[in-house]
């Protein structure tokens, strides 16, 4: 019944948002004389959101939005040292270690033998680096890096793997990106919240018969078994 | 005999490098008081090349390398207006029109019915935008956007489409990215040079029995027919 399981990567398999938060905190300190912490964070968020359609998701777009915000907040008086520091901060993010979330390796062990598809969005090269660094690459039938997690993007992935939406279950920490588009297609959506989730990804849970919520990846193998037993 | 044809996108199907050249020329003018044109171009190229492993290919990485070069060339004295202008220049690139190269639409018409795979590298979102804007999306069996055009990346694409390398022909303007890795895998490589090709992509042509060179995409359908007749 569940023919394929899709798994989100960032903040579902490994830590990600925490690196953005740490960098954002340093960005606020760097520009502290040009506004209070909240005002700086809010300007940066506005820039990120406005730039999403042109930059897409990922660290390079975040770097460009930090640079733009630094120029704007200082009325053009930003100095080269600050710009350099922002570039370094972004480059550090692009090299950050990949720390698996608790229970992930074990859950993947218990799901072994199933068609597992990692579905993630962001910078192509950075996502590939993280898959390699995670050591989990071999656990997946396929790694699909998409520009955005729209119903159309999921439909393309499913088509490529010959899987009908009814037999697809997607699990991840973003209600907006991992759950809702898959429910819309007719699949199962499993929401595994992470304490840090970017504001853009946080939307209201719909009331839906194929939506489930779990505490952690550790609970996923049992849920899959249960859904199949009920079918 | 030729089971699938891979086509590069940038400077094979549509203009691309010209937008980088125009932007680079403006970058040189913007920083003209900090070095002669050649020195600025050479510093920018060094930064781009050094950043390739962390940023990958594409416009966002180019923007970040321009910003870094501006800070370095001015010894940190770059002003916010210059940084803003660089951001605008990059954003203009990300919105540039997609101009098909001569003969492309006709060549694709003549190849219709074959398994055509567009294989391109760079920013995921930007490449998808260009495919959509080109109006050519429907001509392809699949669009594969990869982080880098290594033999491994081609092998993954071929595996995903169930095509053996011996039955794969790849055509493009980069000897390094479109031709050599496919020859290495055991496929056919068709080099279609473009007058503007980034220095990084230009490498010596190997002496190889499965390498062909064409003047333009217009000649590709005949070449494919000829290779099949000879087989």
């Amino acid at each position: 019944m569940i023919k394929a399981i899709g798994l989100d990567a960032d903040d579902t398999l490994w830590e990600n948002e925490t690196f953005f938060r740490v960098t954002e905190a340093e960005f606020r300190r760097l520009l502290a004389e040009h506004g209070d912490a909240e005002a700086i964070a809010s300007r940066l968020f506005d820039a990120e959101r406005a730039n999403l359609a042109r930059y897409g998701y990922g660290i390079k777009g975040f770097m460009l939005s930090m640079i733009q915000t630094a120029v704007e907040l200082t009325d053009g008086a930003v100095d080269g040292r600050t710009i350099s520091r922002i570039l370094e901060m972004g480059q550090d993010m692009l090299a950050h270690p990949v720390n698996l979330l608790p229970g992930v390796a074990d859950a993947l062990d218990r799901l072994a033998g199933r068609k597992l598809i990692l579905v993630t969005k962001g910078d192509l090269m950075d996502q590939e680096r993280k898959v390699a660094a995670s050591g989990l690459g071999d656990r997946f039938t396929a790694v699909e890096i998409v520009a955005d997690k729209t119903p159309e993007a999921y439909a393309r992935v499913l088509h490529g793997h010959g899987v009908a939406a009814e037999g697809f279950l997607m699990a991840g920490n973003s209600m907006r990106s991992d759950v809702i588009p898959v429910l819309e297609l007719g699949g199962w959506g499993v929401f595994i919240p992470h304490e840090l989730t970017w504001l853009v990804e946080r939307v209201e849970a719909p009331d839906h018969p194929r939506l489930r919520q779990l505490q952690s990846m550790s609970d996923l193998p049992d849920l899959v078994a249960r859904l199949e037993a009920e079918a």
Side-chain angles (χ1 to χ4, degrees), chain A residues 2-214:
Chain A
I2 305 288
K3 303 285 190 195
I5 296 173
L7 293 170
D8 171 53
D10 291 340
D11 299 313
T12 298
L13 301 182
W14 51 67
E15 299 286 359
N16 175 64
E17 182 66 14
T18 185
F19 298 105
F20 281 85
R21 299 292 174 98
V22 166
T23 305
E24 192 188 292
E26 183 171 354
F27 180 76
R28 289 195 308 259
R29 285 195 297 277
L30 203 56
L31 292 168
E33 30 177 312
H34 301 280
D36 62 36
E38 207 174 321
I40 296 174
S42 139
R43 283 292 284 273
L44 176 58
F45 180 69
D46 289 347
E48 284 181 83
R49 201 162 40 177
N51 286 330
L52 260 188
R54 54 164 73 99
Y55 296 155
Y57 298 88
I59 294 172
K60 285 180 289 180
F62 181 58
M63 294 168 75
L64 291 165
S65 290
M66 283 195 287
I67 291 168
Q68 175 187 326
T69 303
V71 172
E72 288 172 3
L73 275 172
T74 60
D75 284 322
V78 64
D79 61 354
R81 225 178 34 200
T82 302
I83 299 291
S84 275
R85 185 62 204 132
I86 294 171
L87 290 172
E88 280 170 13
M89 285 153 51
Q91 291 174 2
D92 285 349
M93 288 181 76
L94 286 168
H96 74 67
V98 174
N99 305 323
L100 296 193
L101 290 170
V104 164
D106 178 60
L108 292 177
D109 281 345
R110 293 169 59 206
L111 293 168
R114 289 183 173 272
K115 187 177 271 208
L116 295 182
I117 306 173
L118 188 149
V119 188
T120 184
K121 66 188 191 319
D123 288 331
L124 209 42
M125 185 165 274
D126 187 42
Q127 295 294 351
E128 289 189 359
R129 171 189 78 86
K130 289 190 286 190
V131 172
S134 74
L136 297 179
D138 292 347
R139 310 292 194 97
F140 293 95
T141 312
V143 173
E144 301 282 354
I145 305 170
V146 299
D148 200 0
K149 287 175 158 177
T150 56
E152 296 69 34
Y154 281 108
R156 258 196 317 268
V157 167
L158 293 181
H159 180 76
H161 292 280
V163 173
E166 297 75 46
F168 183 61
L169 177 151
M170 177 74 196
N173 73 304
S174 169
M175 185 61 76
R176 183 177 77 92
S177 297
D178 301 319
V179 175
I180 292 175
V182 174
L183 292 176
E184 275 181 27
L185 281 181
W188 294 83
V190 178
F191 180 48
I192 310 178
H194 183 282
E195 57 171 335
L196 300 178
T197 293
W198 192 31
L199 210 54
V200 166
E201 302 295 343
R202 285 189 242 152
V203 301
E204 194 86 15
D207 184 17
H208 198 289
R210 288 189 313 275
L211 166 63
R212 296 292 183 279
Q213 178 162 343
L214 297 178

